[in-house]
């Protein structure tokens, strides 16, 4: 009996483009943060890195919960996890586009001699 092999090229291309754009943000994100707040480079880079690492801790637990909530149909659970990830990425990118004002420059202040506790 001859089996027909089905390769979903459109889904492979969509996943490739999604991963390419997300992985393209790794070198760009610190530069964007440093450009937006040059006087607080260290703080903002630390916050960015902390949030990125926090997603590596929380993400697998959330995806595992979503997959397990589908019951015996694991395929539906993984489909829901991809949809959840895409939705969160879309929401985060819209929030970034709305609240980031790249044309407004911050006032460059000289380095101060006192330490600011946050």
């Amino acid at each position: 009996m001859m089996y027909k092999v089905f390769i979903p090229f459109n889904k492979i291309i969509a996943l490739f483009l999604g991963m390419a754009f997300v992985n393209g943000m790794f070198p760009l994100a610190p530069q964007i943060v440093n450009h937006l707040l040059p006087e607080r480079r260290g703080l903002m880079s630390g916050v960015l890195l902390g949030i990125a690492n926090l997603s590596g801790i929380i993400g697998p637990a959330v995806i595992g919960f979503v997959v397990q909530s589908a019951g015996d149909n694991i395929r539906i659970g993984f489909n829901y996890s991809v949809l959840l990830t895409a939705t969160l990425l879309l929401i985060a990118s819209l929030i970034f586009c709305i609240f980031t004002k790249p044309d407004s420059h911050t006032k460059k202040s000289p380095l101060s001699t006192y330490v600011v506790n946050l």
Side-chain angles (χ1 to χ4, degrees), residues 48-68:
L48 176 71
L49 189 62
I51 290 172
N53 287 332
L54 186 65
S55 67
I57 296 169
I58 295 173
V62 171
I63 296 301
F65 176 76
V66 169
V67 171
Q68 282 184 346

Side-chain angles (χ1 to χ4, degrees), residues 23-75:
N23 288 333
M25 281 305 296
F26 289 135
L28 293 176
Q31 301 305 320
I32 292 171
V33 168
N34 290 339
H35 178 73
L36 292 175
L37 286 169
E39 66 273 359
R40 300 222 179 234
R41 277 188 192 148
L43 173 70
M44 295 311 293
S45 295
V47 168
L48 176 71
L49 189 62
I51 290 172
N53 287 332
L54 186 65
S55 67
I57 296 169
I58 295 173
V62 171
I63 296 301
F65 176 76
V66 169
V67 171
Q68 282 184 346
S69 69
D72 291 336
N73 197 347
I74 296 175
R75 180 181 287 178

